[in-house]
Amino acid sequence: MKNLLIIGGGTGSYTILKGLKAYSDRYKLTAIVSMMDSGGDTGKLRDEYGILPPGDVRRCLVALSEESDLIKKLFQYRFSSGSLKGKNFGNIFLTALSDITGSDEQAIKETGNILKIKGRVIPVTLDNVDLCAKLEDGSVIHGESNIDIPKHNPELRIKQVFLKPKAKANPDAVDAILNADAIIIGPGDLYTSIIPNFLVAGIPEAVCGCKAEKIYICNLMTKYGETHHLSASEHVKALKKFAKIKCLDNVIVNNGEPSHELLKEYAKEHSFPVSYDVKELYELGVKKVIEADIMNKQVLIRHNPERVAAEVVRIIGM
Amino acid sequence: MKNLLIIGGGTGSYTILKGLKAYSDRYKLTAIVSMMDSGGDTGKLRDEYGILPPGDVRRCLVALSEESDLIKKLFQYRFSSGSLKGKNFGNIFLTALSDITGSDEQAIKETGNILKIKGRVIPVTLDNVDLCAKLEDGSVIHGESNIDIPKHNPELRIKQVFLKPKAKANPDAVDAILNADAIIIGPGDLYTSIIPNFLVAGIPEAVCGCKAEKIYICNLMTKYGETHHLSASEHVKALKKFAKIKCLDNVIVNNGEPSHELLKEYAKEHSFPVSYDVKELYELGVKKVIEADIMNKQVLIRHNPERVAAEVVRIIGM
């Protein structure tokens, strides 16, 4: 049974895990999740209870869960009124278990058992750190949520990202990397979900030093204030520069086309399809570029879990 | 297999269910729970989310649960700081499920499944009602929590209790009563946990009209502002008068003796052992008075689950 490792965070990891769970009788699935999220309910719980940010962990746990739809719904449930307004049930669950068990790691493991997950979810670090970004005008933004939902001029490019204070890798994460047969990076917000994992000391070294086939799943759309105007090659360049990942074997890019109506909606948010140039990608040292229609086209432009999983399976074999 | 029904609320029901769960291979256990609690976290959730008060239901579910100690601990967990301060996890769980399933009843059933309970927990009514009490000076107190934690002169006796508005019985509760082989009433706060069940239209009629053996487990200690100076006979008289329960077959009273130190602590709160006069109890029409040492004597004066259960089993047989 091959070990499949997904490195990411946010809805990207949720999507790909959901797709790959259908193959969990053939692959052992492990998700490494970035721990720098500081926004919304997650950020508030982190501040108030000193726990690791629960949001992305919770999403991955739900994606891998074999529990009933009701339980999965419950874990994603967010209160819409009253004194619990804005609070997510799964986050509350992880916060309470962290206090009872005395450890965030233990809370994640126990929640995994309760949700009957097929696989493992591992925080990339157990250190409490914040993500910072330096823009091309020299200004520095502190906190993931301030980069994610920019208050800065979104036309300015990100020139540097770093953690404050420095973080060391969770030994379980390094172990999982060293035992992986394939490592899937992305999809997800490049600077706020993907790269933060590789800013943790020990992670890029383990990824590039291990035997696993490395696959990067490129985003479908650009994000204003984060990846504005960036092509697929520029995503790969950013991974090289900021994440120190110079060892990508495969890059999956989307060649599906959203409807004009949907594109118009996204354009209002200054979000555009990520363009790609196959030749350029090969010149960056990628061994194989896979062009495929891997998108959903209804309501939101998102990766289609089944299609992405099928492409991954085609690359790594059974 | 005999059907055992417990009518109550609060920690009293929790205690007796915990004791009787050891016999769940011999008895089918059902708990009918009063729905008039309006205090603390429960009262707040009731106000904010329009749900039935979850606290007592949750305690009964945990008492009957066959889940791991960790899960049971989680359901009783209360946040001690931050924006969730004072909130109980199990109450949050029930509130979220009520919204997702669209029904408090369904939420209780699903939580029962999740907690793998041995038995059933049934709200006495599905109506949203408040408990009111009239004191001997003619003043009326609104809301269970205002009676439970008195702001009124605690020396004044309660002369009348009623619900506002009137409530009708949950059909499942009536069914459970009619199918019971034995009905256990109490222990618990007389006016705020026990009697409220019988203020619901249809409940006293069903209890006194059914074939089940009726057992009243009397409280160990009096409660200032609620049962101040009341003897066991006066508890039974209050049940007759306010709960319309004139059909008690058995009354279990405690003859164990707490330490002087413990009694001194309780006396500070104007709480004293409930005295009893066997002759007086028989004169009230009780068929059998059981005197037994059914108490814990450490830290708090509480019913001992195993001892109370043993007395109940002795009465009703296997």
Side-chain angles (χ1 to χ4, degrees):
Chain A
M1 215 155 150
K2 284 186 176 173
N3 290 314
L4 241 70
L5 183 68
I6 291 89
I7 302 181
T11 45
S13 291
Y14 175 80
T15 305
I16 182 111
L17 288 170
K18 233 180 123 191
L20 285 171
K21 199 176 69 134
Y23 302 89
S24 61
D25 53 335
R26 298 172 190 179
Y27 305 124
K28 272 194 194 165
L29 296 174
T30 305
I32 290 182
V33 184
S34 75
M35 288 288 119
M36 293 77 193
D37 189 0
S38 69
D41 179 40
T42 282
K44 205 172 172 203
L45 292 173
R46 211 183 140 177
D47 281 351
E48 289 183 343
Y49 296 98
I51 55 167
L52 292 174
D56 289 348
V57 164
R58 187 238 318 150
R59 278 185 209 101
C60 290
L61 290 169
V62 171
L64 292 173
S65 173
E66 297 271 298
E67 254 293 355
S68 69
D69 285 346
L70 182 70
I71 299 280
K72 285 192 250 185
K73 225 180 205 171
L74 179 64
F75 265 77
Q76 301 283 50
Y77 177 83
R78 200 174 291 277
F79 288 91
S80 59
S81 67
S83 56
L84 293 163
K85 187 175 177 174
K87 295 208 186 295
N88 170 283
F89 176 82
N91 292 355
I92 294 175
F93 191 101
L94 282 159
T95 306
L97 264 191
S98 284
D99 191 27
I100 294 171
T101 63
S103 131
D104 296 339
E105 255 188 304
Q106 197 56 29
I108 295 168
K109 277 181 196 160
E110 294 289 354
T111 306
N113 293 338
I114 291 161
L115 286 176
K116 300 187 184 121
I117 66 166
K118 285 269 187 187
R120 284 196 305 159
V121 178
I122 303 174
V124 69
T125 180
L126 303 175
D127 298 338
N128 185 1
V129 292
D130 268 315
L131 183 69
C132 303
K134 197 171 188 175
L135 303 181
E136 54 185 339
D137 68 351
S139 61
V140 174
I141 308 164
H142 292 268
E144 180 271 344
S145 62
N146 295 322
I147 308 165
D148 195 30
I149 303 162
K151 293 184 194 89
H152 58 273
N153 175 0
E155 301 280 340
L156 294 173
R157 290 211 177 193
I158 292 169
K159 296 308 266 182
Q160 203 189 332
V161 275
F162 56 96
L163 299 179
K164 209 173 169 183
K166 285 180 181 169
K168 57 183 182 310
N170 176 356
D172 283 355
V174 174
D175 263 8
I177 292 167
L178 298 179
N179 287 311
D181 294 296
I183 295 176
I184 299 154
I185 299 168
D189 286 341
L190 187 64
Y191 290 104
T192 52
S193 287
I194 307 303
I195 290 174
N197 286 291
F198 301 96
L199 302 177
V200 172
I203 297 296
E205 298 80 354
V207 168
C208 284
C210 76
K211 65 180 191 313
E213 179 121 22
K214 286 101 191 171
I215 304 165
Y216 173 56
I217 303 174
C218 193
N219 290 352
L220 303 175
M221 304 294 285
T222 60
K223 189 173 172 182
Y224 198 44
E226 188 168 337
T227 53
H228 194 43
H229 292 317
L230 258 54
S231 67
S233 302
E234 284 166 309
H235 279 71
V236 171
K237 276 183 200 162
L239 279 173
K240 281 194 174 201
K241 189 173 169 189
F242 300 122
K244 290 181 245 153
I245 294 301
K246 299 169 186 173
C247 54
L248 291 179
D249 298 303
N250 306 271
V251 173
I252 305 179
V253 289
N254 171 60
N255 65 9
E257 282 180 30
S259 69
H260 279 287
E261 289 70 32
L262 214 44
L263 284 176
K264 257 205 268 184
E265 284 304 310
Y266 274 74
K268 285 182 197 163
E269 310 285 327
H270 310 281
S271 177
F272 306 95
V274 172
S275 64
Y276 66 87
D277 180 323
V278 176
K279 198 170 146 261
E280 232 178 71
L281 283 164
Y282 279 118
E283 280 167 6
L284 287 168
V286 173
K287 290 190 192 125
K288 198 169 176 195
V289 178
I290 297 102
E291 302 169 81
D293 182 348
I294 49 172
M295 65 186 296
N296 277 332
K297 286 153 197 170
Q298 303 91 356
V299 196
L300 289 170
I301 300 173
R302 288 277 165 84
H303 283 90
N304 176 294
E306 292 73 30
R307 291 190 195 178
V308 178
E311 293 303 326
V312 168
V313 169
R314 203 163 292 151
I315 295 169
I316 55 181
M318 292 295 186
Chain B
M1 214 155 152
K2 284 187 176 171
N3 289 315
L4 241 70
L5 182 69
I6 291 90
I7 302 182
T11 45
S13 291
Y14 174 81
T15 304
I16 182 112
L17 288 170
K18 233 180 123 190
L20 286 171
K21 199 176 69 134
Y23 302 89
S24 60
D25 53 336
R26 297 172 193 180
Y27 304 126
K28 272 193 192 167
L29 297 174
T30 304
I32 290 183
V33 184
S34 75
M35 288 287 120
M36 292 77 193
D37 190 0
S38 69
D41 179 40
T42 281
K44 206 172 171 203
L45 292 173
R46 212 182 139 178
D47 282 350
E48 289 183 344
Y49 297 97
I51 55 167
L52 293 174
D56 289 349
V57 164
R58 186 238 319 150
R59 278 185 208 99
C60 290
L61 289 168
V62 171
L64 292 173
S65 172
E66 297 271 297
E67 255 293 356
S68 68
D69 285 347
L70 182 69
I71 298 282
K72 285 192 251 185
K73 227 181 205 168
L74 179 63
F75 264 76
Q76 302 285 50
Y77 177 82
R78 201 173 289 278
F79 288 92
S80 59
S81 66
S83 56
L84 293 163
K85 188 174 176 175
K87 295 209 185 295
N88 171 283
F89 176 82
N91 292 354
I92 294 174
F93 191 101
L94 282 159
T95 307
L97 263 190
S98 285
D99 191 28
I100 293 170
T101 63
S103 133
D104 296 339
E105 256 189 302
Q106 198 55 31
I108 295 169
K109 277 181 196 160
E110 293 290 355
T111 307
N113 292 338
I114 291 161
L115 286 176
K116 300 185 183 122
I117 65 165
K118 285 269 187 189
R120 284 197 304 160
V121 177
I122 302 174
V124 70
T125 180
L126 303 174
D127 297 338
N128 186 1
V129 291
D130 268 314
L131 183 69
C132 304
K134 197 171 190 175
L135 303 181
E136 54 185 339
D137 67 350
S139 60
V140 174
I141 308 163
H142 293 267
E144 180 272 343
S145 62
N146 295 322
I147 309 165
D148 194 33
I149 303 161
K151 294 183 192 91
H152 58 273
N153 176 358
E155 301 280 340
L156 293 173
R157 288 210 179 193
I158 291 169
K159 295 308 265 182
Q160 204 190 331
V161 275
F162 56 95
L163 299 180
K164 211 175 168 183
K166 285 180 181 170
K168 57 184 183 309
N170 176 358
D172 283 357
V174 175
D175 262 8
I177 291 167
L178 297 179
N179 287 309
D181 295 295
I183 296 176
I184 299 155
I185 299 168
D189 287 341
L190 187 64
Y191 290 104
T192 50
S193 288
I194 306 304
I195 289 174
N197 287 291
F198 301 97
L199 301 177
V200 172
I203 298 295
E205 298 80 355
V207 168
C208 284
C210 76
K211 63 179 194 313
E213 177 122 22
K214 287 99 188 172
I215 304 164
Y216 174 55
I217 303 174
C218 193
N219 290 351
L220 304 174
M221 304 293 286
T222 60
K223 191 172 171 184
Y224 198 45
E226 189 168 336
T227 54
H228 194 43
H229 292 318
L230 259 53
S231 68
S233 304
E234 285 167 308
H235 280 70
V236 171
K237 278 185 200 164
L239 279 174
K240 283 194 174 202
K241 187 172 170 190
F242 300 122
K244 291 180 245 154
I245 293 301
K246 298 168 185 172
C247 53
L248 291 179
D249 299 302
N250 306 271
V251 173
I252 305 179
V253 289
N254 171 58
N255 66 9
E257 282 179 32
S259 68
H260 279 286
E261 289 70 31
L262 214 42
L263 284 175
K264 258 205 270 185
E265 285 304 309
Y266 272 75
K268 285 182 196 163
E269 309 286 327
H270 311 279
S271 177
F272 306 95
V274 172
S275 63
Y276 66 88
D277 180 322
V278 176
K279 200 170 143 262
E280 233 177 69
L281 283 165
Y282 279 117
E283 281 167 5
L284 288 168
V286 172
K287 292 192 193 124
K288 197 170 178 198
V289 178
I290 297 103
E291 303 169 81
D293 183 348
I294 49 172
M295 65 186 295
N296 277 333
K297 287 153 197 172
Q298 303 91 358
V299 195
L300 289 170
I301 301 174
R302 287 278 164 84
H303 283 90
N304 176 293
E306 291 74 30
R307 289 190 196 178
V308 178
E311 293 304 326
V312 169
V313 170
R314 204 163 291 151
I315 294 169
I316 55 179
M318 291 296 184

